[in-house]
Amino acid sequence: MTEALPRPGDVLFVGGAASVQFQGERALTFRVIRVDPRITYDGWLWIDGYVLGPSGDALERRVIFVKKDGLIKKR
């Protein structure tokens, strides 16, 4: 995701390119609630949102720390 920051409502694929913790089977689909405005490492973000299941239903609310350029916007 080389464009602007994710926005509320965006649905993202979060895989290994975003952070090693989401490598392989740990990858997830994530609906953004908000991006934390606090400054962190260059190119990294704290994102608050919901992990989505295969049918698009919210399964779990999480806050994740990811590399912006590793995020893939869906839809």
Side-chain angles (χ1 to χ4, degrees):
M1 174 173 247
T2 56
E3 61 223 34
L5 295 176
R7 297 170 38 144
D10 283 352
V11 175
L12 308 172
F13 172 77
V14 182
S19 176
V20 295
Q21 67 181 320
F22 302 113
Q23 192 79 13
E25 292 182 12
R26 293 181 172 184
L28 47 90
T29 302
F30 197 77
R31 184 173 49 230
V32 177
I33 295 173
R34 73 179 192 97
V35 175
D36 193 315
R38 289 181 288 179
I39 296 172
T40 183
Y41 297 106
D42 189 37
W44 288 79
L45 308 167
W46 283 103
I47 303 177
D48 186 5
Y50 290 99
V51 176
L52 303 180
S55 64
D57 294 333
L59 301 176
E60 174 185 15
R61 185 168 178 173
R62 288 184 63 179
V63 178
I64 58 175
F65 187 60
V66 291
K67 189 187 294 186
K68 181 180 146 226
D69 289 343
L71 299 172
I72 299 171
K73 189 171 179 179
K74 296 184 87 169
R75 293 185 194 176

